[in-house]
Amino acid sequence: MEEVLEILQGIKPDVDFAEEKALIDDGILDSFDIISIVNGLNDAFDIEITVAELLPEHFNDAEAIWRLVQDMKENG
Amino acid sequence: MNLLSLSFFCFLLMLLACYYLMPHRYRWIVLLAGSYLFYAASSLRSVPLLLFTTVWTYAAARKLGAYNRVIREELKQIDKSLRKEKKEAINRKKKRIVAVTLVVNVSVLFFFKTSYLWKEAPLLLPLGISFYTFQTIGYLIDVYRAQIEPEQNLLHYALFASYFPQIIQGPIHRYRQLVPQLFGERRFSLREIKLGFWLFLWGMFKKIVISERAAIFVSHVLGSDLQETPGAMLLLGVFVFNLQLYTDFSGGIDMVSGISQMFGITLAENFRRPFFARTLGEYWHRWHITLGTWIKDYVFYPIAMSRTFGRLGKKAKDRFGNHIGRTLPAGITSVITFILIGLWHDVTGYYFLYGIWHGMLMALSNLCEPLFQRFRTCFQVRTECLSYRWMQRLRTFMIVTVGEYFSLATGMAALGIMFRQTLLHFEYSSLFLGILNYGLDGKDWLVLAAGVLVLVCISMKQESGVRIREALERQNLYFQWLMVLGVILVTAVFGVYGPGYDASAFIYGGF
């Protein structure tokens, strides 16, 4: 989880990712940020997030992103 | 069918009566019959193509759904070593189905949209073809990605593809967003009908009082001898075109959203006061929102997340550092995406430039963000004060306006003249001396200014979080009626009723 927060903070330093719960719904992350986050996660965790996983419920908060990473690691 | 004709009002009343008198589980049939009746009455010759697209994408999605089921259920039972191989084989088959369907649908769209290039008498674009093509492609890709289950009932799917309020110019809906509403249980609500009617009236006001009046000025300015037209007048013409386009499109969307609300079905938001945007990126989050999200999900992400762009990002990161590595692939994709948006509007060089203009600026603003940040820190620029916010809004409006030069030009020569006149022969005095020579008299300008003032005031209220219709609901009944009758009267007296006033007469109905 710490690693996910680090990646997110590196991309948008001005956002409190531990607190925000609607990163997509409130428009805090734009499509450029999403691409950066996905690239960062893929590199850091050696996973391959595909377009099919780009759902708001997977990116609305840090916890959900962490769950997605865990799921990708387990099920590919 | 003319949205403002007696026949449409009769049609709407009959449909509402049938809809609410019918038992819940049959109401969708009323909507389906009404949708096809409306579509056939608006453009009978377009019906076969709509049917073809509906049946084709329905069948393709069913097949994809069957493959998804195999991956989800049957492959779980077999040995892990074989599973991957089988899954890849099935995915290849799925890709083939999607590819063939996309090629067919996009080719049909492309064929009609480019007919003027190879045919002396261009083919008339089938009504709403872009919008139902996008909507059904979106559905198909969602099924392909296993994000939704395919619709089993062809008639249910036909309603999703043809729902009459949205078929002419959007909004472009996702299956998950619209279908639960189309088939869910709804009680008759006088309040929903009232709120829907108010929204319809507001859209009508924007369209008839503001947009149609603005259109007269724009067509006179652009129809004049551009060599002789002062730059100031051209710039004003492009400003007014922004206004015309916004009030035409958002007015039309308000009208159809209001109609849909009367059936208890909320259409997706398509405009969120785009001229209040502080950046170009924000503008595109507020303008034609459903097309923007469609393009993002089905064009932008697949390109930006492809292996090629992933490799490009890594190389850029090694060479130029983290920031460029992260933003370069998305930046290049942004340029490609906007070029596609431009070409969708029209397959000409100038719309290509429109795409380049928006795409390049979006890419550069992201790539250069650290520089801008350094500049703001260095000069201690306050970014949250009122003056800075309005400066940003003005800057965004100007960027969009320059982009409209590309979309309005009828040729490269005309584009060159428009820019030359604006930059070298501005002649601001022409605004005072010649403004009445372009189709609008003093009274028209007053009405236009008053209309814009109302629009701006309401938009500012909405920006500060006020829900206008709910605020009006809290007023005395007399006042509510006064406002409703006032809008009807103002629209009747000050509206501009041009020829050819039908459902397809909205600018985006032509795309």
Side-chain angles (χ1 to χ4, degrees):
Chain A
M1 182 67 182
E2 285 302 313
E3 213 171 342
V4 167
L5 282 173
E6 233 171 74
I7 291 169
L8 296 173
Q9 221 67 60
I11 288 160
K12 278 248 168 177
D14 50 335
V15 176
D16 183 358
F17 285 99
E19 289 301 315
E20 289 291 350
K21 296 291 171 210
L23 294 168
I24 304 295
D25 296 342
D26 288 351
I28 297 165
L29 296 179
D30 63 21
S31 43
F32 275 65
D33 300 327
I34 294 290
I35 297 295
S36 305
I37 290 168
V38 167
N39 288 339
L41 294 172
N42 285 348
D43 283 350
F45 297 100
D46 195 24
I47 53 177
E48 198 176 331
I49 297 173
T50 64
V51 188
E53 272 86 43
L54 294 189
L55 295 169
E57 55 262 38
H58 289 157
F59 287 88
N60 254 335
D61 60 82
E63 284 270 352
I65 297 173
W66 173 240
R67 279 197 302 276
L68 173 68
V69 169
Q70 294 305 307
D71 189 44
M72 296 299 299
K73 278 165 76 174
E74 280 165 28
N75 302 316
Chain B
M1 197 189 289
N2 182 338
L3 280 189
L4 293 163
S5 66
L6 190 62
S7 55
F8 178 74
F9 282 112
C10 291
F11 162 79
L12 187 61
L13 282 177
M14 295 270 286
L15 203 66
L16 277 170
C18 293
Y19 181 76
Y20 282 113
L21 287 173
M22 197 64 97
H24 286 297
R25 61 201 175 112
Y26 298 124
R27 284 184 180 168
W28 66 272
I29 299 173
V30 177
L31 284 184
L32 179 62
S35 295
Y36 265 85
L37 195 65
F38 173 80
Y39 193 72
S42 300
S43 176
L44 187 61
R45 59 175 192 88
S46 306
V47 174
L49 196 59
L50 173 63
L51 280 172
F52 168 76
T53 305
T54 303
V55 173
W56 179 277
T57 48
Y58 166 80
R62 286 285 302 268
K63 193 74 191 155
L64 288 174
Y67 283 133
N68 287 344
R69 218 165 22 253
V70 173
I71 293 175
R72 205 174 48 237
E73 292 165 11
E74 292 176 25
L75 291 192
K76 289 256 161 80
Q77 319 285 336
I78 63 171
D79 187 66
K80 213 172 179 181
S81 56
L82 280 173
R83 198 185 301 164
K84 198 176 171 194
E85 203 180 309
K86 288 244 179 206
K87 192 176 171 183
E88 276 171 10
I90 292 176
N91 279 336
R92 275 197 297 276
K93 287 181 190 168
K94 281 175 63 182
K95 264 186 195 149
R96 266 203 296 274
I97 294 174
V98 171
V100 170
T101 313
L102 287 186
V103 167
V104 170
N105 281 3
V106 175
S107 303
V108 170
L109 182 63
F110 192 73
F111 171 80
F112 280 102
K113 284 191 81 90
T114 57
S115 72
Y116 70 93
L117 293 176
W118 44 266
K119 224 170 169 298
E120 262 184 49
L123 300 166
L124 274 175
L125 206 60
L127 190 60
I129 184 173
S130 288
F131 297 98
Y132 69 72
T133 301
F134 287 163
Q135 187 155 307
T136 50
I137 285 178
Y139 160 76
L140 190 80
I141 297 176
D142 285 351
V143 175
Y144 168 75
R145 291 174 181 171
Q147 290 174 340
I148 55 169
E149 285 295 315
E151 176 60 63
Q152 301 297 312
N153 185 326
L154 174 61
L155 295 179
H156 279 200
Y157 181 66
L159 175 57
F160 164 70
S162 68
Y163 179 51
F164 81 96
Q166 48 116 69
I167 196 167
I168 297 165
Q169 55 175 350
I172 303 160
H173 282 93
R174 303 302 167 86
Y175 181 79
R176 284 193 293 190
Q177 202 175 24
L178 189 61
V179 163
Q181 296 196 76
L182 291 176
F183 303 101
E185 203 170 290
R186 347 224 118 245
R187 285 182 177 283
F188 172 77
S189 160
L190 203 58
R191 180 173 180 262
E192 290 291 308
I193 292 188
K194 179 184 73 180
L195 291 180
F197 182 60
W198 287 357
L199 189 56
F200 178 87
L201 284 183
W202 173 236
M204 188 175 76
F205 171 82
K206 284 203 271 187
K207 165 76 178 159
I208 300 181
V209 177
I210 302 178
S211 178
E212 292 295 309
R213 187 165 268 102
I216 297 172
F217 179 69
V218 173
S219 64
H220 274 78
V221 170
L222 295 174
S224 61
D225 180 1
L226 293 178
Q227 308 255 27
E228 299 298 320
T229 309
M233 196 60 72
L234 276 173
L235 187 62
L236 182 66
V238 182
F239 279 155
V240 176
F241 174 70
N242 269 338
L243 178 71
Q244 178 203 344
L245 189 62
Y246 172 62
T247 46
D248 178 282
F249 197 6
S250 73
I253 293 289
D254 286 346
M255 285 162 79
V256 296
S257 298
I259 291 167
S260 186
Q261 192 171 2
M262 293 181 202
F263 292 90
I265 294 160
T266 307
L267 295 188
E269 186 183 27
N270 217 26
F271 290 94
R272 203 180 304 125
R273 301 166 294 285
F275 296 119
F276 282 80
R278 292 165 63 180
T279 63
L280 190 58
E282 191 189 347
Y283 170 83
W284 282 103
H285 283 126
R286 288 166 171 259
W287 174 275
H288 207 343
I289 297 168
T290 56
L291 177 71
T293 50
W294 192 95
I295 294 273
K296 186 177 74 184
D297 287 352
Y298 304 120
V299 181
F300 179 86
Y301 283 143
I303 299 176
M305 286 173 65
S306 65
R307 291 214 169 94
T308 313
F309 277 73
R311 278 196 295 272
L312 174 74
K314 282 199 181 93
K315 274 189 189 160
K317 186 179 165 186
D318 294 342
R319 187 115 191 235
F320 304 107
N322 266 343
H323 177 73
I324 300 288
R326 275 203 302 258
T327 50
L328 188 66
I332 294 173
T333 313
S334 168
V335 177
I336 297 170
T337 308
F338 275 101
I339 289 173
L340 289 175
I341 292 179
L343 292 179
W344 167 66
H345 281 86
D346 199 354
V347 197
T348 61
Y350 350 114
Y351 263 106
F352 179 80
L353 293 176
Y354 171 89
I356 296 255
W357 171 252
H358 279 271
M360 287 294 282
L361 286 178
M362 286 283 284
L364 285 175
S365 70
N366 277 282
L367 284 167
C368 302
E369 180 51 30
L371 273 180
F372 299 146
Q373 185 59 42
R374 210 171 300 160
F375 175 84
R376 287 191 293 265
T377 313
C378 194
F379 290 93
Q380 297 181 330
V381 178
R382 289 183 185 160
T383 56
E384 284 311 315
C385 58
L386 188 72
S387 56
Y388 189 79
R389 285 206 300 269
W390 278 98
M391 185 282 291
Q392 284 183 302
R393 283 172 183 149
L394 186 66
R395 181 193 59 189
T396 306
F397 182 72
M398 290 308 293
I399 288 171
V400 173
T401 300
V402 173
E404 296 301 355
Y405 271 74
F406 300 115
S407 68
L408 282 171
T410 50
M412 289 309 275
L415 183 64
I417 295 168
M418 284 169 72
F419 275 122
R420 190 194 65 202
Q421 293 298 97
T422 308
L423 296 172
L424 303 177
H425 305 284
F426 195 71
E427 297 173 31
Y428 67 90
S429 59
S430 67
L431 291 178
F432 306 101
L433 302 173
I435 200 163
L436 301 181
N437 299 336
Y438 293 89
L440 297 184
D441 60 19
K443 189 199 86 181
D444 280 322
W445 277 109
L446 266 179
V447 174
L448 190 61
V452 171
L453 190 66
V454 171
L455 179 67
V456 170
C457 288
I458 286 187
S459 300
M460 286 178 81
K461 279 278 173 203
Q462 288 172 322
E463 275 296 295
S464 60
V466 176
R467 289 169 170 269
I468 301 294
R469 287 181 294 163
E470 286 170 17
L472 183 58
E473 251 189 324
R474 287 194 292 273
Q475 309 306 311
N476 287 316
L477 203 60
Y478 311 106
F479 185 75
Q480 293 179 27
W481 274 103
L482 192 72
M483 291 304 287
V484 168
L485 292 174
V487 172
I488 294 174
L489 195 70
V490 165
T491 310
V493 174
F494 297 113
V496 176
Y497 304 92
Y501 216 85
D502 58 32
S504 54
F506 290 95
I507 295 174
Y508 267 77
F511 288 124

